[in-house]
C-alpha cells in the first residue's frame, strides 16, 4: 500500500504519517515544497522510518503533482497541504485560492488521469460555514464563508463533489472543526497562547519582567479537538464502502477567553479580567503581585491588529453521523488538550 500525504511538515500531515506508520504497513510519501530553510520538527519521530520517504512537490505546480501520482501510483492521496492561516488569507487571497482550491483540482486531475482508483482526502474546514445560521452545525449547514480561506475551502468542497459524481472517484472532503496539539503552528491562537503562557511561566519563575500575550477577539467561540484524534477519523472516512463527507468535531464550544484562563490555570498562574473593549486585560491575581493592575502584572492584552476584517463568532460541530457510521469519537477532552499543550510548551521552552 502506498500513500501520498501533502503538508507533511505541518500539524495534520505529521500526525497522519505517525498514525499510519504505527497502524499500517503502508509506504508513506510525505510531500514537502522546496524551502531554503525547511522545519522538520513535526517529523522528527519518523524521518528515518524504513517506510517513510520525503518527496518534493507543490500544490501550485501541476507538473509536480502529476509526476508524483504517475510515478508512485498511490492507493491513497491525503491532501493536508494548504495556506491554512485564516488571518493571512486577506493578505494573500490569490495564493490562498491557488493552493487551497485550484490545488485540489490539480490533485483530482492527476488522480483521474493516472490512478483513478486512488482514494483522495481533501481537508475541509468549519470556516466554510462562516456566518452560521444554526447551531450545532452539521453537513447540511449552508456554506457562508467569511474569509478568503473559508471561500477557498468551500470551492474545494464543491469541486471534490463534482469529481466524485462525474468520474466516480473515491474523493471525500471532511468538514473538520478546529484541531490543535503540540505540532500546531505558532501563529494560531491556541499555540500562541500556550507558548506565551510558557514564556511568562519561566519569567515569573526566574523573577524576570515579561511582555503580555497580545490577542484579538477574546469572545470568538470555537469547537476545539486534538489533531491526533482527527487523523483517526480521516483514515476511517477513507475506508468506507462508498465515499461520503463527514463532520469531525468535539461537539463542544469554548471561547478564546476560556482557553486563556485554562492555559494559565494549568501553569498554576491565577488571573482576572479587568477593563472593557480593547482596554480589557488579564492580570495576575493579587496572590502573586501585591499591587493590583500594575502593567508589569499584565498577562494578556488586546491588539486590534489581530481582529479579522470579518469575524466568525461561533463554531460548534455536530459530529453524530461520524460517531455513528464511522464508530469514531474524540478521546482527548478540551481540558486535557489545553493541559497537554501548556505542559509541552513549558517543558520545551
Ligand atoms: P499546517 O500545520 O499549516 O500545515 C499545512 C502544510 O501545508 C504546511 O506544511 C505547508 O508547508 C503546506 N503547504 C502550504 N502551501 C503549500 C503548497 N503550495 N504546496 C504544498 N504544500 C503546501 O496546517 P494543519 O493544521 O496541519 O492543517 C492541515 C489541513 O487541514 C489544511 O488544509 C488546513 O487548512 C485544514 N484544516 C485545519 C484545521 C485545524 O484546525 N488545524 C481545521 C480545518 C481544516 P510549509 O511547511 O512549507 O509551510
Amino acid at each position: 500500500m502506498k500513500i501520498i500525504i501533502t503538508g507533511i511538515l505541518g500539524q495534520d500531515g505529521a500526525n497522519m504519517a505517525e498514525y499510519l506508520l504505527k497502524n499500517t504497513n503502508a509506504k508513506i510519501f510525505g510531500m514537502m515544497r522546496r524551502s531554503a530553510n525547511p522545519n522538520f520538527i513535526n517529523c522528527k519521530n519518523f524521518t528515518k522510518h524504513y517506510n517513510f520517504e520525503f518527496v518534493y512537490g507543490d500544490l501550485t505546480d501541476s507538473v509536480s503533482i502529476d509526476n508524483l501520482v504517475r510515478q508512485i501510483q498511490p492507493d491513497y492521496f491525503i491532501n493536508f497541504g494548504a495556506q491554512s492561516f485564516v488571518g493571512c488569507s486577506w493578505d494573500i487571497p490569490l495564493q490562498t485560492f491557488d493552493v487551497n482550491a485550484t490545488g485540489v483540482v490539480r490533485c483530482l486531475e492527476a488522480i483521474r488521469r493516472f490512478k483513478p482508483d486512488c482514494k483522495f482526502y481533501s481537508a475541509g474546514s468549519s470556516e466554510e460555514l462562516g456566518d452560521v445560521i444554526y447551531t450545532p452545525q452539521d453537513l447540511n449547514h449552508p456554506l457562508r464563508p467569511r474569509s478568503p480561506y473559508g471561500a477557498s475551502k468551500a470551492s474545494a468542497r464543491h469541486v471534490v463533489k463534482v469529481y466524485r459524481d462525474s468520474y466516480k472517484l473515491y474523493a471525500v472532503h471532511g468538514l473538520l472543526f478546529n484541531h490543535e496539539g503540540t505540532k500546531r503552528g505558532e501563529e494560531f491562537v491556541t499555540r500562541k497562547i500556550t507558548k506565551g503562557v510558557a514564556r511568562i511561566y519561566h519569567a515569573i519563575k526566574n523573577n524576570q519582567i515579561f511582555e503580555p500575550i497580545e490577542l484579538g477577539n477574546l469572545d470568538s467561540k470555537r469547537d476545539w479537538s486534538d489533531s491526533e484524534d482527527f487523523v483517526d477519523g480521516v483514515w476511517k472516512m477513507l475506508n468506507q464502502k462508498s465515499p461520503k463527507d463527514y463532520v469531525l468535531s468535539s461537539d463542544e464550544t469554548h471561547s478564546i477567553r476560556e482557553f486563556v484562563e485554562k492555559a494559565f490555570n494549568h501553569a498554576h498562574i491565577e488571573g482576572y479580567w479587568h477593563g472593557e473593549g480593547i482596554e480589557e486585560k488579564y492580570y495576575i491575581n493579587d496572590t502573586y503581585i501585591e499591587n493590583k493592575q500594575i502593567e508589569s502584572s499584565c498577562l494578556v492584552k488586546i491588539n486590534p491588529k489581530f481582529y479579522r476584517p470579518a469575524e466568525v463568532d461561533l463554531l460548534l460541530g455536530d459530529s453524530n453521523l461520524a460517531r455513528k457510521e464511522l464508530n469514531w469519537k474524540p478521546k482527548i477532552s478540551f481540558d486535557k488538550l489545553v493541559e497537554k499543550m501548556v505542559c509541552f510548551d513549558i517543558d520545551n521552552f
Side-chain angles (χ1 to χ4, degrees):
M1 184 159 65
K2 287 173 284 183
I3 303 176
I4 294 177
I5 303 177
T6 70
I8 194 69
L9 304 185
Q11 171 184 258
D12 291 1
N15 280 333
M16 190 86 229
E18 275 181 19
Y19 173 91
L20 292 172
L21 290 167
K22 192 170 154 209
N23 295 298
T24 72
N25 205 14
K27 170 93 199 233
I28 310 296
F29 296 86
M31 191 186 96
M32 56 182 274
R33 54 184 174 162
R34 200 267 158 187
S35 161
N37 196 8
N39 184 346
F40 293 100
I41 186 86
N42 286 343
C43 305
K44 65 179 189 319
N45 292 338
F46 58 82
T47 41
K48 299 229 158 56
H49 194 286
Y50 64 95
N51 254 345
F52 180 79
E53 187 179 329
F54 282 113
V55 289
Y56 276 120
D58 195 305
L59 288 160
T60 62
D61 179 350
S62 46
V63 172
S64 69
I65 305 298
D66 284 357
N67 284 343
L68 287 175
V69 175
R70 198 164 40 79
Q71 286 161 13
I72 293 170
Q73 291 287 298
D75 301 286
Y76 295 85
F77 189 117
I78 304 178
N79 183 33
F80 284 131
Q83 191 305 87
S84 64
F85 191 49
V86 176
C88 193
S89 72
W90 278 275
D91 301 320
I92 49 169
L94 292 179
Q95 202 257 0
T96 301
F97 258 80
D98 198 13
V99 179
N100 298 5
T102 315
V104 170
V105 184
R106 292 185 183 104
C107 298
L108 288 163
E109 268 300 308
I111 290 169
R112 179 185 76 77
R113 286 159 63 212
F114 303 118
K115 188 71 168 65
D117 63 346
C118 171
K119 294 181 169 183
F120 178 67
Y121 178 78
S122 168
S125 161
S126 49
E127 292 285 333
E128 294 166 41
L129 311 178
D131 188 14
V132 300
I133 53 170
Y134 66 80
T135 299
Q137 295 98 36
D138 57 12
L139 273 178
N140 298 318
H141 192 286
L143 304 181
R144 295 160 56 89
R146 297 267 284 165
S147 61
Y149 171 84
S152 71
K153 290 286 182 178
S155 304
R157 173 170 305 283
H158 289 305
V159 86
V160 167
K161 183 172 184 318
V162 167
Y163 271 69
R164 183 164 69 208
D165 295 347
S166 309
Y167 302 116
K168 309 292 169 242
L169 299 185
Y170 193 116
V172 295
H173 184 85
L175 180 53
L176 271 53
F177 282 64
N178 291 61
H179 45 282
E180 318 295 317
T182 54
K183 297 189 182 78
R184 188 59 148 153
E186 293 180 17
E187 73 272 58
F188 292 91
V189 69
T190 53
R191 194 73 195 281
K192 187 173 162 181
I193 294 168
T194 60
K195 281 247 167 194
V197 168
R199 173 176 56 77
I200 291 172
Y201 170 90
H202 284 285
I204 292 175
K205 207 169 138 198
N206 296 315
N207 246 335
Q208 292 165 344
I209 53 166
F210 56 83
E211 290 295 319
I213 306 168
E214 295 190 2
L215 299 175
N217 186 352
L218 295 168
D219 295 313
S220 306
K221 290 184 144 187
R222 292 291 181 269
D223 181 328
W224 279 299
S225 302
D226 191 312
S227 162
E228 289 179 44
D229 280 339
F230 275 21
V231 294
D232 173 50
V234 167
W235 187 237
K236 289 191 159 111
M237 254 185 249
L238 281 168
N239 288 289
Q240 298 305 299
K241 276 205 180 106
S242 48
K244 185 168 159 187
D245 298 343
Y246 288 92
V247 171
L248 298 185
S249 57
S250 74
D251 300 359
E252 276 179 32
T253 193
H254 299 274
S255 64
I256 289 169
R257 185 186 295 281
E258 270 178 87
F259 196 106
V260 166
E261 292 162 4
K262 213 168 255 304
F264 277 108
N265 281 347
H266 281 302
H268 308 291
I269 300 171
E270 299 290 328
Y272 67 98
W273 297 100
H274 182 82
E276 277 179 28
I278 63 165
E279 295 306 323
E280 187 172 10
K281 292 183 175 139
Y282 196 55
Y283 292 96
I284 303 184
N285 231 334
D286 47 10
T287 42
Y288 290 85
I289 289 181
E290 281 177 12
N291 192 357
K292 268 184 140 189
Q293 288 164 33
I294 55 168
E295 284 313 301
S296 62
S297 72
C298 178
L299 300 166
V300 174
K301 72 176 193 182
I302 312 277
N303 185 337
K305 127 175 151 188
F306 297 116
Y307 287 150
R308 292 179 182 180
E311 186 53 85
V312 171
D313 296 321
L314 166 73
L315 291 173
L316 170 60
D318 173 354
S319 60
N320 273 314
L321 198 64
R323 289 171 196 239
K324 202 168 116 207
E325 294 186 1
L326 302 179
N327 194 20
W328 170 88
K329 70 171 182 201
K331 297 188 187 84
I332 312 242
S333 67
F334 173 67
D335 187 54
K336 282 276 164 236
L337 172 67
V338 182
E339 182 183 15
K340 168 177 153 178
M341 291 175 73
V342 169
C343 292
F344 180 88
D345 284 337
I346 286 177
D347 291 347
N348 291 280
F349 181 70

